[in-house]
Amino acid sequence: GAVVSQHPSRVICKSGTSVKIECRSLDFQATTMFWYRQFPKQSLMLMATSNEGSKATYEQGVEKDKFLINHASLTLSTLTVTSAHPEDSSFYICSARRSAGWDNEQFFGPGTRLTVL
Amino acid sequence: AQKVTQAQTEISVVEKEDVTLDCVYETRDTTYYLFWYKQPPSGELVFLIRRNSFDEQNEISGRYSWNFQKSTSSFNFTITASQVVDSAVYFCALSEVYGDMRFGAGTRLTVKP
């Protein structure tokens, strides 16, 4: 099956610093990648959709200047949380879609747990 | 816009009991996909099933079974003879063609020995 990795799996940082999270599709090319955020005991909420080579589309209420997304290649997307604050502490999960066609199959990464002190 | 409702926030059963997790969805599209995922305490999502809107056949996989009814916009999930290892949060999700995936609120299942 298709594998998606995320790095790091866990990160602790001080308030005001920036954190970068990588999402890689290991054995397939992903034209589209998605970033989700999950607060404790809540569901996954879509933050943004990124297509390779173009700007990400952010969901309403998600600050694009705070959550920078780069999808520079067909196998890598990065999410940078800029000037992180304690309220940004969450579980961040990416997914990659193998094809834009009928298949529409998405594969999820294992997630990154961010703690901002 | 698509919407997924999982009305059951938490369910607790005793081992070997059968349990059904409900999922009701809304979409304007005639072509879409429905999913169930399991999320254990580690957080990593475990894919359970994907069903497209043209396939209403029920599916059984071991102790797991799924009942898809377009007439009631429901895609329910049943675990037969539950086990402690089934304890997790279960999410139902909907994806329209070329669209993103939207998740329900999740149902936390606790199976007690």
Side-chain angles (χ1 to χ4, degrees), chain A residues 6-98:
Chain A
Q6 275 185 247
H7 178 78
S9 58
R10 187 180 294 266
V11 57
I12 301 172
C13 69
K14 292 183 178 179
S15 186
T17 60
S18 294
V19 174
K20 180 185 282 188
I21 302 170
E22 292 187 350
C23 176
R24 292 181 185 273
S25 55
L26 298 185
D27 49 3
F28 66 99
Q29 293 185 331
T31 52
T32 303
M33 288 185 170
F34 304 89
W35 287 94
Y36 294 83
R37 179 169 55 182
Q38 185 181 29
F39 291 111
K41 296 196 175 184
Q42 293 189 24
S43 185
L44 284 78
M45 299 301 294
L46 180 68
M47 297 176 66
T49 301
S50 73
N51 291 295
E52 185 264 339
S54 60
K55 288 184 178 180
T57 303
Y58 291 81
E59 294 297 301
Q60 194 170 12
V62 178
E63 301 173 58
K64 62 180 179 181
D65 294 331
K66 182 172 185 60
F67 298 99
L68 302 179
I69 293 172
N70 185 286
H71 191 166
S73 78
L74 286 172
T75 59
L76 173 64
S77 176
T78 59
L79 167 68
T80 301
V81 184
T82 62
S83 186
H85 291 286
E87 57 265 31
D88 298 323
S89 298
S90 187
F91 192 53
Y92 292 87
I93 304 174
C94 73
S95 72
R97 185 159 66 197
R98 179 159 55 187

Side-chain angles (χ1 to χ4, degrees), chain B residues 67-104:
Chain B
N67 182 284
F68 176 26
Q69 293 196 345
K70 288 176 76 170
S71 61
T72 56
S73 297
S74 65
F75 186 44
N76 296 337
F77 172 34
T78 297
I79 302 175
T80 303
S82 59
Q83 299 176 1
V84 173
V85 293
D86 295 327
S87 297
V89 180
Y90 290 86
F91 291 100
C92 179
L94 168 70
S95 174
E96 296 164 347
V97 179
Y98 303 120
D100 49 64
M101 190 180 293
R102 302 286 171 160
F103 287 80

Side-chain angles (χ1 to χ4, degrees), chain B residues 18-90:
Chain B
D18 298 347
V19 58
T20 296
L21 309 182
D22 298 333
C23 174
V24 174
Y25 63 91
E26 294 178 30
T27 177
R28 294 179 181 174
D29 281 13
T30 56
T31 305
Y32 50 90
Y33 295 87
L34 293 165
F35 305 80
W36 275 96
Y37 287 88
K38 175 182 180 181
Q39 188 178 43
S42 66
E44 185 165 356
L45 288 176
V46 177
F47 169 81
L48 296 178
I49 189 171
R50 181 179 73 156
R51 173 70 75 217
N52 75 56
S53 54
F54 297 113
D55 184 1
E56 281 194 78
Q57 279 194 341
N58 291 332
E59 178 145 345
I60 297 175
S61 177
R63 296 185 296 108
Y64 296 169
S65 63
W66 291 269
N67 182 284
F68 176 26
Q69 293 196 345
K70 288 176 76 170
S71 61
T72 56
S73 297
S74 65
F75 186 44
N76 296 337
F77 172 34
T78 297
I79 302 175
T80 303
S82 59
Q83 299 176 1
V84 173
V85 293
D86 295 327
S87 297
V89 180
Y90 290 86

